[in-house]
Amino acid sequence: MKKYIAIVISALLVCASVFIFSGCPSDSTPGTPPTVEGTREVIQGTHVGYPPSSYEKEYSTFMTVSFIDTFIMFANLYLDMPGWQGSDGTYTYSYAGDGDDFTLTLAIVWNGQKGMWHYTLTLDGTIDTVTYSNVTIFDLYATPNADSGEVVFRNPDNQDEYLSLTWEKGDPYYTFIMTAYFDSEPFTTTLVETPPYLVGEVWTSDSGRLRIVSGEETFNAFWGDNPPPEF
């Protein structure tokens, strides 16, 4: 598993972005906490849509932020593991063998101030001779319908390196804001697009606008017959 961590971390990560979506917070819990499978579905719902392949230049620019797909894949490596145990918002997965001995804990509680479920995945134990003491894998907030939320994915080996993503599924556009920080090189991406859908194995959006800010450089791209308004 250590090699998967190294692959993901070397591809990206991260700087903090505080982004709280407006709504009507409620102190009352909206029913039973989500399950591990429900958590996986929320993360899957953060997929961004690429420009259609016919927009070659825009597609090439968009590949700069393809790390979000890597994040989703990495999160699912944990959530798809068989044998999760627990209920009512507290779930654990434990493994011991081949020199590894670790426990993953997924805790889900209602945050009335935000009006969102709060999901936290932590790792405790030893993997490939490296010991982790309740380090955070991801910290996620999402509304009950998962139409808006925010997530921070952290490097288990260096908690100062992380990927931040916020999303809001509006009408007619979805909005994503991603901030990445790795090895002192931050960059921020703003994406507004029509709802993505699968074309083969690629999530695609018919119309969108993208802005990437990296240091003093800014990259812009848009696609579609009627792209979203300029930022």
Side-chain angles (χ1 to χ4, degrees), residues 90-107:
T90 301
Y91 311 96
T92 59
Y93 171 84
S94 297
Y95 175 82
D98 300 324
D100 295 339
D101 187 357
F102 65 90
T103 297
L104 295 165
T105 301
L106 175 64

Side-chain angles (χ1 to χ4, degrees), residues 55-143:
Y55 292 87
E56 296 181 4
K57 179 181 177 181
E58 292 78 8
Y59 190 94
S60 177
T61 300
F62 198 95
M63 287 299 292
T64 308
V65 297
S66 62
F67 57 76
I68 183 59
D69 295 324
T70 308
F71 155 64
I72 293 171
M73 177 192 73
F74 183 76
N76 284 338
L77 285 176
Y78 292 113
L79 298 177
D80 286 345
M81 289 178 178
W84 280 89
Q85 303 291 324
S87 61
D88 297 328
T90 301
Y91 311 96
T92 59
Y93 171 84
S94 297
Y95 175 82
D98 300 324
D100 295 339
D101 187 357
F102 65 90
T103 297
L104 295 165
T105 301
L106 175 64
I108 307 173
V109 297
W110 177 248
N111 185 301
Q113 184 177 5
K114 288 180 177 287
M116 297 181 178
W117 287 108
H118 182 197
Y119 309 70
T120 305
L121 180 66
T122 56
L123 167 65
D124 188 70
T126 301
I127 301 176
D128 289 349
T129 73
V130 178
T131 299
Y132 302 93
S133 180
N134 290 316
V135 298
T136 299
I137 302 299
F138 65 72
D139 193 34
L140 166 70
Y141 289 90
T143 54

Side-chain angles (χ1 to χ4, degrees), residues 33 38 50 53 67 78 90 97 101 104 108 111 114 167 171 177 185 190 203 206 213 228:
Y50 290 65
S53 57
F67 57 76
Y78 292 113
T90 301
D101 187 357
L104 295 165
I108 307 173
N111 185 301
K114 288 180 177 287
W167 76 94
D171 183 15
I177 299 177
E185 294 294 335
T190 302
W203 288 90
D206 290 331
V213 179

Side-chain angles (χ1 to χ4, degrees), residues 19 21-22 41-42 45-46 115-117 119 141-150 166-171 173-176:
F19 190 94
F21 295 98
S22 60
E41 291 175 356
V42 171
T46 64
M116 297 181 178
W117 287 108
Y119 309 70
Y141 289 90
T143 54
N145 61 8
D147 278 352
S148 64
E150 55 192 80
T166 65
W167 76 94
E168 184 170 24
K169 299 179 180 180
D171 183 15
Y173 301 119
Y174 287 9
T175 299
F176 300 91

